[in-house]
């Protein structure tokens, strides 16, 4: 018996406004999981829950969103990755310098009154999160890698006697991808 497996050869394209981000046609599973593990470690170190951004400290959220951008860029073609992770130091509406490293950009901005660090491709957080979910679906085999989340898994059944029927009120309301 034979089975033929096809490999994607054309980049995946994320159209965002007037921009296109090109993602690798295929990503090896171990490389994807290594990058995802680094993202999770960064997120957990800051205590940021990507599904509940409202409770996050602003600086921790900035660093976590930066880690998400770096994770996404690791799955992009080089030109898209460079643009997606580029940080501009802006003063009075003018770009003073461009960086790839957040700490370097912050240090440079601190040396110029009124300067601030902004992403070259400014996007709402919801778009970054949607990109993350899309990339995980593309390269993670269609299922989000396991991670702690309030909406990811149903609770274990309580100890005691089990019934043979399921009442509608106890049916799972879990949605795909969440």
């Amino acid at each position: 018996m034979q089975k033929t497996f096809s490999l994607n050869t054309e980049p995946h394209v994320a159209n965002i406004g007037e921009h296109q981000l090109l993602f690798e046609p295929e990503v090896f599973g171990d490389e994807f999981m290594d990058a995802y593990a680094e993202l999770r470690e960064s997120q957990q170190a800051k205590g940021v829950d990507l599904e509940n951004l409202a409770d996050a400290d602003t600086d921790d959220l900035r660093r976590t969103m930066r880690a998400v951008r770096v994770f996404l860029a690791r799955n992009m073609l080089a030109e898209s990755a460079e643009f997606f992770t580029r940080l501009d130091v802006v003063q009075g509406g003018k770009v003073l310098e461009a960086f790839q490293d957040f700490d370097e950009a912050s240090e440079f901005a601190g040396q110029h009154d009124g300067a601030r660090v902004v992403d070259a491709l400014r996007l709402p957080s919801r778009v970054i999160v949607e990109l993350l979910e899309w990339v995980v679906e593309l390269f993670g085999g269609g299922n989000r890698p396991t991670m702690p989340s309030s909406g990811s898994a149903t609770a274990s059944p309580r100890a005691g006697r089990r019934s043979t029927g399921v009442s509608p009120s106890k049916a799972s309301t879990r949605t795909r991808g969440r």
Side-chain angles (χ1 to χ4, degrees):
M1 179 155 111
Q2 282 189 358
K3 173 128 176 106
T4 302
F5 295 88
S6 63
L7 295 175
N8 293 319
T9 57
E10 295 295 317
H12 299 281
V13 179
N15 292 306
I16 303 172
E18 63 187 41
H19 302 284
Q20 281 192 332
L21 298 174
L22 302 178
F23 288 80
E24 294 285 347
E26 295 285 352
V27 174
F28 293 103
D30 59 338
E31 291 172 0
F32 175 81
M33 291 308 294
D34 289 346
Y36 196 82
E38 287 177 25
L39 171 61
R40 294 294 301 153
E41 287 172 15
S42 171
Q43 175 188 347
Q44 289 172 346
K46 298 294 180 197
V48 174
D49 178 1
L50 290 176
E51 294 183 22
N52 185 13
L53 300 177
D55 293 340
D57 173 74
T58 305
D59 288 335
D60 290 344
L61 182 56
R62 278 192 183 100
R63 290 192 180 277
T64 298
M65 294 309 285
R66 182 69 184 162
V68 171
R69 280 183 180 259
V70 169
F71 165 77
L72 291 169
R74 286 179 68 174
N75 296 287
M76 290 179 188
L77 297 182
E79 188 176 314
S80 290
E82 184 177 321
F83 174 59
F84 189 68
T85 57
R86 191 181 84 213
L87 297 163
D88 293 334
V89 175
V90 178
Q91 181 186 47
K94 179 183 174 196
V95 175
L96 300 178
E97 192 79 38
F99 295 86
Q100 291 295 318
D101 181 83
F102 182 77
D103 291 331
E104 290 175 10
S106 294
E107 182 180 330
F108 184 83
Q111 297 169 1
H112 297 83
D113 289 336
R116 61 190 184 104
V117 178
V118 297
D119 291 300
L121 178 58
R122 298 187 70 195
L123 297 171
S125 296
R126 70 171 177 78
V127 173
I128 301 288
V129 172
E130 287 177 38
L131 269 173
L132 174 62
E133 290 173 348
W134 180 65
V135 166
V136 168
E137 186 173 326
L138 277 176
F139 301 127
N143 294 315
R144 186 182 225 174
T146 56
M147 58 182 171
S149 168
S150 58
S152 294
T154 55
S156 299
R158 293 182 183 256
R161 194 173 170 166
R162 289 182 146 170
S163 67
T164 56
V166 176
S167 69
S169 64
K170 294 188 180 181
S172 173
T173 57
R174 185 174 162 205
T175 59
R176 185 174 163 258
R178 298 262 175 198

